[in-house]
Amino acid sequence: MRLIKTLDEIKGIKKANQIIAKIYADIIPPYLKAGITTREIDKIIDDYIRSCGARPACIGVEGFYGPFPAATCISVNEEVVHGIPGDRVIKDGDIVSLDIVTELDGYYGDSAKTFAIGEIDEESRKLLEVTEKSREIGIEAAVVGNRLGDLGHAVQAYVEKNGFSVVRDFAGHGVGLDLHEEPMIPNYGRKGRGLKIENGMVLAIEPMVNVGTYKVAIMPDGWTVVTRDGKRSAHFEHSVAIIDGKAVILSELD
């Protein structure tokens, strides 16, 4: 898969991302309340994506134990990523991470956001703030002339300064003409290491940040990733294109 996209391709990738941005900004927030199940959340998102003429691209992605069965990865509290929607009822005080991938006319959008349900505790609130800010720091480091290690180092340094840890077993990635493309983009690293960032790259920058250890485990369903110590995790992701030397966010609502 090509690392460098044309401006026309980037426009198509942005259109796929704008569907997700609309979901996070307007479509799903009224429903994210105590009492709703993760399956009901998934249905709302699935219906909206299809109403836009797009496809929820998570469905059917192959894993160790078969294809992913839902439109949305929905991960609650100690679940880091790839949670399968089901009968779990959302409660006040939960944090809920949504990770949505769309495909529209052959182009892919990818973005994630963690939401607070009702009043959450102070530690969880700080976790969300630090994770979201670390994503912005990673985006700021995604400039021509830097390397991916510079990006990862910036994210890791900020997260650890605030007393949290970055997940190391999962990472950001290239995106746009497929769901997952090269290069992999770890949220930790050393300055001056890794691939050079170039104009035309489209990158999914997505810190996954844990309250406790960075170590994770995969549940028996073969998909759901949880923190090994059972403490909470947050996840924020944007798809960005490198244009005129810097990162332009594609998954933020115009």
Side-chain angles (χ1 to χ4, degrees):
M1 190 63 67
R2 288 183 288 106
L3 290 181
I4 306 302
K5 276 69 173 179
T6 68
L7 288 177
D8 281 343
E9 287 171 335
I10 290 170
K11 288 178 182 177
I13 296 165
K14 181 175 180 177
K15 287 180 181 178
N17 273 291
Q18 287 294 295
I19 296 170
I20 308 173
K22 179 70 172 177
I23 291 170
Y24 291 149
D26 299 326
I27 303 302
I28 203 63
Y31 298 97
L32 279 177
K33 298 177 182 178
I36 195 170
T37 67
T38 54
R39 180 178 287 112
E40 289 169 329
I41 295 169
D42 182 65
K43 178 67 163 56
I44 294 164
I45 293 169
D46 191 341
D47 288 347
Y48 180 75
I49 292 171
R50 294 180 191 277
S51 77
C52 296
R55 177 178 69 88
C58 285
I59 294 177
V61 173
E62 286 294 334
F64 291 117
Y65 298 102
F68 193 79
T72 317
C73 296
I74 303 180
S75 306
V76 183
N77 295 338
E78 77 285 352
E79 297 171 349
V80 181
V81 287
H82 304 161
I84 299 174
D87 295 329
R88 183 168 185 169
V89 177
I90 301 301
K91 301 175 182 177
D92 277 325
D94 285 344
I95 59 172
V96 179
S97 298
L98 306 180
D99 189 358
I100 304 172
V101 184
T102 55
E103 183 267 317
L104 178 67
D105 300 328
Y107 298 108
Y108 287 78
D110 190 3
S111 179
K113 184 172 182 176
T114 303
F115 293 83
I117 307 300
E119 291 296 321
I120 60 174
D121 62 82
E122 187 56 37
E123 182 178 63
S124 296
R125 188 173 304 282
K126 182 181 178 184
L127 174 68
L128 267 61
E129 290 173 354
V130 168
T131 308
E132 186 170 19
K133 178 64 175 178
S134 73
R135 179 187 61 182
E136 307 319 309
I137 287 171
I139 291 170
E140 289 170 4
V143 297
V144 170
N146 272 359
R147 294 180 179 269
L148 294 180
D150 299 310
L151 191 162
H153 175 81
V155 171
Q156 180 184 15
Y158 177 75
V159 168
E160 293 181 352
K161 181 180 73 173
N162 281 278
F164 299 126
S165 64
V166 292
V167 172
R168 301 190 179 205
D169 289 358
F170 297 87
H173 52 89
V175 69
L177 305 182
D178 205 345
L179 192 161
H180 289 113
E181 302 174 5
E182 294 295 332
M184 297 302 291
I185 308 169
N187 294 301
Y188 64 96
R190 295 175 62 183
K191 290 181 178 180
R193 299 292 181 91
L195 188 70
K196 278 189 176 180
I197 296 170
E198 299 181 49
N199 282 318
M201 286 182 170
V202 180
L203 309 174
I205 296 175
E206 52 175 321
M208 291 150 271
V209 176
N210 297 347
V211 168
T213 179
Y214 67 84
K215 295 181 180 179
V216 299
I218 299 178
M219 298 297 285
D221 63 21
W223 281 104
T224 307
V225 179
V226 298
T227 58
R228 195 167 291 184
D229 57 11
K231 294 183 178 180
R232 290 186 167 190
S233 183
H235 180 201
F236 283 85
E237 175 184 21
H238 269 318
S239 290
V240 307
I242 310 303
I243 300 173
D244 294 332
K246 64 181 182 180
V248 176
I249 299 173
L250 307 179
S251 52
E252 194 167 64
L253 195 62
D254 281 344

PDB file of all heavy atoms in Angstrom, residues 117-149:
ATOM      1  N   ILE A 117     -19.709   9.216  31.083  1.00  0.00           N
ATOM      2  CA  ILE A 117     -21.145   8.993  31.282  1.00  0.00           C
ATOM      3  C   ILE A 117     -21.537   9.561  32.646  1.00  0.00           C
ATOM      4  O   ILE A 117     -21.117   9.049  33.692  1.00  0.00           O
ATOM      5  CB  ILE A 117     -21.501   7.498  31.205  1.00  0.00           C
ATOM      6  CG1 ILE A 117     -20.965   6.876  29.914  1.00  0.00           C
ATOM      7  CG2 ILE A 117     -23.010   7.312  31.329  1.00  0.00           C
ATOM      8  CD1 ILE A 117     -21.487   7.494  28.641  1.00  0.00           C
ATOM      9  N   GLY A 118     -22.321  10.621  32.638  1.00  0.00           N
ATOM     10  CA  GLY A 118     -22.696  11.270  33.892  1.00  0.00           C
ATOM     11  C   GLY A 118     -21.478  11.833  34.594  1.00  0.00           C
ATOM     12  O   GLY A 118     -20.526  12.313  33.964  1.00  0.00           O
ATOM     13  N   GLU A 119     -21.497  11.791  35.897  1.00  0.00           N
ATOM     14  CA  GLU A 119     -20.378  12.284  36.709  1.00  0.00           C
ATOM     15  C   GLU A 119     -19.346  11.177  36.869  1.00  0.00           C
ATOM     16  O   GLU A 119     -19.674  10.083  37.337  1.00  0.00           O
ATOM     17  CB  GLU A 119     -20.877  12.740  38.070  1.00  0.00           C
ATOM     18  CG  GLU A 119     -21.725  13.998  38.030  1.00  0.00           C
ATOM     19  CD  GLU A 119     -20.946  15.209  37.542  1.00  0.00           C
ATOM     20  OE1 GLU A 119     -19.756  15.336  37.914  1.00  0.00           O
ATOM     21  OE2 GLU A 119     -21.513  16.021  36.791  1.00  0.00           O
ATOM     22  N   ILE A 120     -18.103  11.449  36.492  1.00  0.00           N
ATOM     23  CA  ILE A 120     -17.033  10.473  36.659  1.00  0.00           C
ATOM     24  C   ILE A 120     -16.069  10.960  37.731  1.00  0.00           C
ATOM     25  O   ILE A 120     -16.026  12.149  38.063  1.00  0.00           O
ATOM     26  CB  ILE A 120     -16.287  10.210  35.345  1.00  0.00           C
ATOM     27  CG1 ILE A 120     -15.646  11.500  34.790  1.00  0.00           C
ATOM     28  CG2 ILE A 120     -17.238   9.602  34.313  1.00  0.00           C
ATOM     29  CD1 ILE A 120     -14.779  11.267  33.554  1.00  0.00           C
ATOM     30  N   ASP A 121     -15.294  10.045  38.277  1.00  0.00           N
ATOM     31  CA  ASP A 121     -14.365  10.399  39.350  1.00  0.00           C
ATOM     32  C   ASP A 121     -13.214  11.239  38.801  1.00  0.00           C
ATOM     33  O   ASP A 121     -12.968  11.283  37.592  1.00  0.00           O
ATOM     34  CB  ASP A 121     -13.849   9.145  40.045  1.00  0.00           C
ATOM     35  CG  ASP A 121     -13.064   8.236  39.109  1.00  0.00           C
ATOM     36  OD1 ASP A 121     -11.874   8.497  38.889  1.00  0.00           O
ATOM     37  OD2 ASP A 121     -13.663   7.277  38.571  1.00  0.00           O
ATOM     38  N   GLU A 122     -12.513  11.894  39.697  1.00  0.00           N
ATOM     39  CA  GLU A 122     -11.471  12.844  39.308  1.00  0.00           C
ATOM     40  C   GLU A 122     -10.334  12.162  38.548  1.00  0.00           C
ATOM     41  O   GLU A 122      -9.794  12.718  37.585  1.00  0.00           O
ATOM     42  CB  GLU A 122     -10.917  13.556  40.535  1.00  0.00           C
ATOM     43  CG  GLU A 122      -9.951  14.683  40.214  1.00  0.00           C
ATOM     44  CD  GLU A 122     -10.554  15.738  39.288  1.00  0.00           C
ATOM     45  OE1 GLU A 122     -11.763  16.045  39.428  1.00  0.00           O
ATOM     46  OE2 GLU A 122      -9.821  16.253  38.416  1.00  0.00           O
ATOM     47  N   GLU A 123      -9.965  10.953  38.951  1.00  0.00           N
ATOM     48  CA  GLU A 123      -8.900  10.238  38.257  1.00  0.00           C
ATOM     49  C   GLU A 123      -9.288   9.958  36.808  1.00  0.00           C
ATOM     50  O   GLU A 123      -8.482  10.128  35.890  1.00  0.00           O
ATOM     51  CB  GLU A 123      -8.592   8.926  38.978  1.00  0.00           C
ATOM     52  CG  GLU A 123      -7.451   8.125  38.349  1.00  0.00           C
ATOM     53  CD  GLU A 123      -7.159   6.863  39.135  1.00  0.00           C
ATOM     54  OE1 GLU A 123      -8.056   5.990  39.223  1.00  0.00           O
ATOM     55  OE2 GLU A 123      -6.050   6.754  39.678  1.00  0.00           O
ATOM     56  N   SER A 124     -10.535   9.531  36.588  1.00  0.00           N
ATOM     57  CA  SER A 124     -10.999   9.262  35.232  1.00  0.00           C
ATOM     58  C   SER A 124     -11.064  10.541  34.408  1.00  0.00           C
ATOM     59  O   SER A 124     -10.736  10.545  33.219  1.00  0.00           O
ATOM     60  CB  SER A 124     -12.378   8.597  35.266  1.00  0.00           C
ATOM     61  OG  SER A 124     -12.314   7.331  35.891  1.00  0.00           O
ATOM     62  N   ARG A 125     -11.477  11.629  35.043  1.00  0.00           N
ATOM     63  CA  ARG A 125     -11.538  12.894  34.325  1.00  0.00           C
ATOM     64  C   ARG A 125     -10.141  13.325  33.868  1.00  0.00           C
ATOM     65  O   ARG A 125      -9.950  13.758  32.720  1.00  0.00           O
ATOM     66  CB  ARG A 125     -12.152  13.976  35.225  1.00  0.00           C
ATOM     67  CG  ARG A 125     -12.438  15.283  34.498  1.00  0.00           C
ATOM     68  CD  ARG A 125     -13.208  16.252  35.399  1.00  0.00           C
ATOM     69  NE  ARG A 125     -14.448  15.651  35.888  1.00  0.00           N
ATOM     70  CZ  ARG A 125     -15.551  15.531  35.162  1.00  0.00           C
ATOM     71  NH1 ARG A 125     -15.562  15.966  33.913  1.00  0.00           N
ATOM     72  NH2 ARG A 125     -16.622  14.980  35.677  1.00  0.00           N
ATOM     73  N   LYS A 126      -9.168  13.190  34.757  1.00  0.00           N
ATOM     74  CA  LYS A 126      -7.798  13.523  34.373  1.00  0.00           C
ATOM     75  C   LYS A 126      -7.301  12.593  33.270  1.00  0.00           C
ATOM     76  O   LYS A 126      -6.611  13.031  32.339  1.00  0.00           O
ATOM     77  CB  LYS A 126      -6.871  13.430  35.597  1.00  0.00           C
ATOM     78  CG  LYS A 126      -5.425  13.813  35.279  1.00  0.00           C
ATOM     79  CD  LYS A 126      -4.525  13.693  36.495  1.00  0.00           C
ATOM     80  CE  LYS A 126      -3.084  14.026  36.128  1.00  0.00           C
ATOM     81  NZ  LYS A 126      -2.149  13.831  37.266  1.00  0.00           N
ATOM     82  N   LEU A 127      -7.648  11.310  33.356  1.00  0.00           N
ATOM     83  CA  LEU A 127      -7.246  10.351  32.329  1.00  0.00           C
ATOM     84  C   LEU A 127      -7.738  10.787  30.955  1.00  0.00           C
ATOM     85  O   LEU A 127      -6.984  10.768  29.973  1.00  0.00           O
ATOM     86  CB  LEU A 127      -7.797   8.961  32.668  1.00  0.00           C
ATOM     87  CG  LEU A 127      -7.590   7.869  31.615  1.00  0.00           C
ATOM     88  CD1 LEU A 127      -6.118   7.518  31.484  1.00  0.00           C
ATOM     89  CD2 LEU A 127      -8.412   6.625  31.966  1.00  0.00           C
ATOM     90  N   LEU A 128      -9.008  11.187  30.858  1.00  0.00           N
ATOM     91  CA  LEU A 128      -9.553  11.631  29.575  1.00  0.00           C
ATOM     92  C   LEU A 128      -8.843  12.892  29.084  1.00  0.00           C
ATOM     93  O   LEU A 128      -8.494  13.003  27.899  1.00  0.00           O
ATOM     94  CB  LEU A 128     -11.060  11.875  29.687  1.00  0.00           C
ATOM     95  CG  LEU A 128     -11.963  10.690  29.310  1.00  0.00           C
ATOM     96  CD1 LEU A 128     -11.703   9.482  30.206  1.00  0.00           C
ATOM     97  CD2 LEU A 128     -13.432  11.076  29.383  1.00  0.00           C
ATOM     98  N   GLU A 129      -8.617  13.835  29.982  1.00  0.00           N
ATOM     99  CA  GLU A 129      -7.969  15.088  29.590  1.00  0.00           C
ATOM    100  C   GLU A 129      -6.542  14.842  29.093  1.00  0.00           C
ATOM    101  O   GLU A 129      -6.128  15.399  28.068  1.00  0.00           O
ATOM    102  CB  GLU A 129      -7.959  16.048  30.774  1.00  0.00           C
ATOM    103  CG  GLU A 129      -9.339  16.582  31.146  1.00  0.00           C
ATOM    104  CD  GLU A 129      -9.331  17.404  32.420  1.00  0.00           C
ATOM    105  OE1 GLU A 129      -8.270  17.472  33.078  1.00  0.00           O
ATOM    106  OE2 GLU A 129     -10.394  17.964  32.766  1.00  0.00           O
ATOM    107  N   VAL A 130      -5.803  14.012  29.815  1.00  0.00           N
ATOM    108  CA  VAL A 130      -4.413  13.748  29.436  1.00  0.00           C
ATOM    109  C   VAL A 130      -4.344  12.975  28.125  1.00  0.00           C
ATOM    110  O   VAL A 130      -3.507  13.271  27.256  1.00  0.00           O
ATOM    111  CB  VAL A 130      -3.688  12.983  30.571  1.00  0.00           C
ATOM    112  CG1 VAL A 130      -2.345  12.435  30.098  1.00  0.00           C
ATOM    113  CG2 VAL A 130      -3.493  13.893  31.776  1.00  0.00           C
ATOM    114  N   THR A 131      -5.232  11.999  27.949  1.00  0.00           N
ATOM    115  CA  THR A 131      -5.211  11.209  26.715  1.00  0.00           C
ATOM    116  C   THR A 131      -5.540  12.073  25.505  1.00  0.00           C
ATOM    117  O   THR A 131      -4.863  12.003  24.465  1.00  0.00           O
ATOM    118  CB  THR A 131      -6.187  10.035  26.808  1.00  0.00           C
ATOM    119  OG1 THR A 131      -5.935   9.288  28.005  1.00  0.00           O
ATOM    120  CG2 THR A 131      -6.032   9.105  25.614  1.00  0.00           C
ATOM    121  N   GLU A 132      -6.572  12.900  25.636  1.00  0.00           N
ATOM    122  CA  GLU A 132      -6.931  13.779  24.517  1.00  0.00           C
ATOM    123  C   GLU A 132      -5.807  14.766  24.209  1.00  0.00           C
ATOM    124  O   GLU A 132      -5.473  15.005  23.042  1.00  0.00           O
ATOM    125  CB  GLU A 132      -8.227  14.520  24.814  1.00  0.00           C
ATOM    126  CG  GLU A 132      -8.737  15.331  23.640  1.00  0.00           C
ATOM    127  CD  GLU A 132     -10.137  15.868  23.833  1.00  0.00           C
ATOM    128  OE1 GLU A 132     -10.614  15.933  24.996  1.00  0.00           O
ATOM    129  OE2 GLU A 132     -10.781  16.223  22.820  1.00  0.00           O
ATOM    130  N   LYS A 133      -5.208  15.328  25.237  1.00  0.00           N
ATOM    131  CA  LYS A 133      -4.112  16.267  25.038  1.00  0.00           C
ATOM    132  C   LYS A 133      -2.905  15.569  24.415  1.00  0.00           C
ATOM    133  O   LYS A 133      -2.218  16.147  23.553  1.00  0.00           O
ATOM    134  CB  LYS A 133      -3.727  16.919  26.373  1.00  0.00           C
ATOM    135  CG  LYS A 133      -2.549  17.880  26.283  1.00  0.00           C
ATOM    136  CD  LYS A 133      -2.850  19.088  25.405  1.00  0.00           C
ATOM    137  CE  LYS A 133      -1.696  20.085  25.423  1.00  0.00           C
ATOM    138  NZ  LYS A 133      -1.967  21.246  24.543  1.00  0.00           N
ATOM    139  N   SER A 134      -2.643  14.325  24.813  1.00  0.00           N
ATOM    140  CA  SER A 134      -1.503  13.601  24.252  1.00  0.00           C
ATOM    141  C   SER A 134      -1.692  13.362  22.757  1.00  0.00           C
ATOM    142  O   SER A 134      -0.722  13.373  21.990  1.00  0.00           O
ATOM    143  CB  SER A 134      -1.276  12.279  24.987  1.00  0.00           C
ATOM    144  OG  SER A 134      -2.251  11.305  24.674  1.00  0.00           O
ATOM    145  N   ARG A 135      -2.936  13.143  22.340  1.00  0.00           N
ATOM    146  CA  ARG A 135      -3.209  13.027  20.905  1.00  0.00           C
ATOM    147  C   ARG A 135      -2.844  14.324  20.189  1.00  0.00           C
ATOM    148  O   ARG A 135      -2.222  14.301  19.119  1.00  0.00           O
ATOM    149  CB  ARG A 135      -4.674  12.702  20.663  1.00  0.00           C
ATOM    150  CG  ARG A 135      -5.044  12.593  19.183  1.00  0.00           C
ATOM    151  CD  ARG A 135      -6.539  12.445  18.971  1.00  0.00           C
ATOM    152  NE  ARG A 135      -7.294  13.599  19.479  1.00  0.00           N
ATOM    153  CZ  ARG A 135      -8.607  13.713  19.459  1.00  0.00           C
ATOM    154  NH1 ARG A 135      -9.349  12.724  18.968  1.00  0.00           N
ATOM    155  NH2 ARG A 135      -9.212  14.796  19.932  1.00  0.00           N
ATOM    156  N   GLU A 136      -3.204  15.467  20.777  1.00  0.00           N
ATOM    157  CA  GLU A 136      -2.893  16.753  20.146  1.00  0.00           C
ATOM    158  C   GLU A 136      -1.383  16.980  20.095  1.00  0.00           C
ATOM    159  O   GLU A 136      -0.864  17.516  19.100  1.00  0.00           O
ATOM    160  CB  GLU A 136      -3.579  17.885  20.904  1.00  0.00           C
ATOM    161  CG  GLU A 136      -5.082  17.701  21.095  1.00  0.00           C
ATOM    162  CD  GLU A 136      -5.794  17.156  19.870  1.00  0.00           C
ATOM    163  OE1 GLU A 136      -5.610  17.716  18.774  1.00  0.00           O
ATOM    164  OE2 GLU A 136      -6.527  16.151  19.994  1.00  0.00           O
ATOM    165  N   ILE A 137      -0.687  16.546  21.131  1.00  0.00           N
ATOM    166  CA  ILE A 137       0.774  16.668  21.143  1.00  0.00           C
ATOM    167  C   ILE A 137       1.387  15.797  20.054  1.00  0.00           C
ATOM    168  O   ILE A 137       2.328  16.208  19.362  1.00  0.00           O
ATOM    169  CB  ILE A 137       1.313  16.289  22.543  1.00  0.00           C
ATOM    170  CG1 ILE A 137       0.972  17.412  23.532  1.00  0.00           C
ATOM    171  CG2 ILE A 137       2.812  16.020  22.506  1.00  0.00           C
ATOM    172  CD1 ILE A 137       1.259  17.062  24.977  1.00  0.00           C
ATOM    173  N   GLY A 138       0.844  14.591  19.877  1.00  0.00           N
ATOM    174  CA  GLY A 138       1.314  13.726  18.799  1.00  0.00           C
ATOM    175  C   GLY A 138       1.077  14.341  17.437  1.00  0.00           C
ATOM    176  O   GLY A 138       1.943  14.289  16.547  1.00  0.00           O
ATOM    177  N   ILE A 139      -0.089  14.952  17.250  1.00  0.00           N
ATOM    178  CA  ILE A 139      -0.405  15.600  15.975  1.00  0.00           C
ATOM    179  C   ILE A 139       0.550  16.764  15.715  1.00  0.00           C
ATOM    180  O   ILE A 139       1.039  16.956  14.593  1.00  0.00           O
ATOM    181  CB  ILE A 139      -1.872  16.064  15.965  1.00  0.00           C
ATOM    182  CG1 ILE A 139      -2.810  14.846  15.935  1.00  0.00           C
ATOM    183  CG2 ILE A 139      -2.155  16.988  14.775  1.00  0.00           C
ATOM    184  CD1 ILE A 139      -4.270  15.183  16.154  1.00  0.00           C
ATOM    185  N   GLU A 140       0.852  17.541  16.747  1.00  0.00           N
ATOM    186  CA  GLU A 140       1.776  18.674  16.597  1.00  0.00           C
ATOM    187  C   GLU A 140       3.174  18.204  16.190  1.00  0.00           C
ATOM    188  O   GLU A 140       3.906  18.938  15.499  1.00  0.00           O
ATOM    189  CB  GLU A 140       1.848  19.453  17.903  1.00  0.00           C
ATOM    190  CG  GLU A 140       0.577  20.241  18.219  1.00  0.00           C
ATOM    191  CD  GLU A 140       0.580  20.814  19.627  1.00  0.00           C
ATOM    192  OE1 GLU A 140       1.604  20.662  20.329  1.00  0.00           O
ATOM    193  OE2 GLU A 140      -0.442  21.405  20.020  1.00  0.00           O
ATOM    194  N   ALA A 141       3.534  16.990  16.608  1.00  0.00           N
ATOM    195  CA  ALA A 141       4.860  16.454  16.279  1.00  0.00           C
ATOM    196  C   ALA A 141       4.911  15.820  14.899  1.00  0.00           C
ATOM    197  O   ALA A 141       5.997  15.477  14.404  1.00  0.00           O
ATOM    198  CB  ALA A 141       5.281  15.427  17.330  1.00  0.00           C
ATOM    199  N   ALA A 142       3.748  15.665  14.256  1.00  0.00           N
ATOM    200  CA  ALA A 142       3.677  15.028  12.937  1.00  0.00           C
ATOM    201  C   ALA A 142       3.932  16.067  11.858  1.00  0.00           C
ATOM    202  O   ALA A 142       3.016  16.513  11.143  1.00  0.00           O
ATOM    203  CB  ALA A 142       2.328  14.355  12.745  1.00  0.00           C
ATOM    204  N   VAL A 143       5.190  16.485  11.737  1.00  0.00           N
ATOM    205  CA  VAL A 143       5.583  17.497  10.755  1.00  0.00           C
ATOM    206  C   VAL A 143       6.720  16.949   9.903  1.00  0.00           C
ATOM    207  O   VAL A 143       7.494  16.087  10.347  1.00  0.00           O
ATOM    208  CB  VAL A 143       6.011  18.813  11.437  1.00  0.00           C
ATOM    209  CG1 VAL A 143       4.847  19.427  12.198  1.00  0.00           C
ATOM    210  CG2 VAL A 143       7.195  18.586  12.371  1.00  0.00           C
ATOM    211  N   VAL A 144       6.788  17.445   8.673  1.00  0.00           N
ATOM    212  CA  VAL A 144       7.862  17.022   7.777  1.00  0.00           C
ATOM    213  C   VAL A 144       9.218  17.352   8.415  1.00  0.00           C
ATOM    214  O   VAL A 144       9.412  18.458   8.945  1.00  0.00           O
ATOM    215  CB  VAL A 144       7.714  17.711   6.410  1.00  0.00           C
ATOM    216  CG1 VAL A 144       8.956  17.475   5.551  1.00  0.00           C
ATOM    217  CG2 VAL A 144       6.474  17.201   5.695  1.00  0.00           C
ATOM    218  N   GLY A 145      10.107  16.381   8.393  1.00  0.00           N
ATOM    219  CA  GLY A 145      11.425  16.543   9.013  1.00  0.00           C
ATOM    220  C   GLY A 145      11.547  15.771  10.294  1.00  0.00           C
ATOM    221  O   GLY A 145      12.654  15.365  10.674  1.00  0.00           O
ATOM    222  N   ASN A 146      10.428  15.588  11.001  1.00  0.00           N
ATOM    223  CA  ASN A 146      10.431  14.727  12.180  1.00  0.00           C
ATOM    224  C   ASN A 146      10.358  13.266  11.759  1.00  0.00           C
ATOM    225  O   ASN A 146       9.998  12.938  10.628  1.00  0.00           O
ATOM    226  CB  ASN A 146       9.251  15.048  13.099  1.00  0.00           C
ATOM    227  CG  ASN A 146       9.571  16.142  14.094  1.00  0.00           C
ATOM    228  OD1 ASN A 146      10.689  16.659  14.124  1.00  0.00           O
ATOM    229  ND2 ASN A 146       8.599  16.521  14.890  1.00  0.00           N
ATOM    230  N   ARG A 147      10.646  12.402  12.717  1.00  0.00           N
ATOM    231  CA  ARG A 147      10.495  10.968  12.529  1.00  0.00           C
ATOM    232  C   ARG A 147       9.390  10.459  13.446  1.00  0.00           C
ATOM    233  O   ARG A 147       8.984  11.148  14.401  1.00  0.00           O
ATOM    234  CB  ARG A 147      11.810  10.240  12.809  1.00  0.00           C
ATOM    235  CG  ARG A 147      12.911  10.579  11.797  1.00  0.00           C
ATOM    236  CD  ARG A 147      14.201   9.848  12.093  1.00  0.00           C
ATOM    237  NE  ARG A 147      15.240  10.144  11.109  1.00  0.00           N
ATOM    238  CZ  ARG A 147      15.437   9.432  10.006  1.00  0.00           C
ATOM    239  NH1 ARG A 147      14.678   8.375   9.750  1.00  0.00           N
ATOM    240  NH2 ARG A 147      16.405   9.755   9.160  1.00  0.00           N
ATOM    241  N   LEU A 148       8.915   9.246  13.170  1.00  0.00           N
ATOM    242  CA  LEU A 148       7.848   8.700  13.996  1.00  0.00           C
ATOM    243  C   LEU A 148       8.274   8.547  15.454  1.00  0.00           C
ATOM    244  O   LEU A 148       7.444   8.652  16.362  1.00  0.00           O
ATOM    245  CB  LEU A 148       7.382   7.352  13.430  1.00  0.00           C
ATOM    246  CG  LEU A 148       6.700   7.419  12.062  1.00  0.00           C
ATOM    247  CD1 LEU A 148       6.286   6.029  11.611  1.00  0.00           C
ATOM    248  CD2 LEU A 148       5.488   8.350  12.093  1.00  0.00           C
ATOM    249  N   GLY A 149       9.554   8.343  15.691  1.00  0.00           N
ATOM    250  CA  GLY A 149      10.043   8.275  17.065  1.00  0.00           C
ATOM    251  C   GLY A 149       9.873   9.589  17.809  1.00  0.00           C
ATOM    252  O   GLY A 149       9.661   9.595  19.025  1.00  0.00           O
TER     253      GLY A 149
END
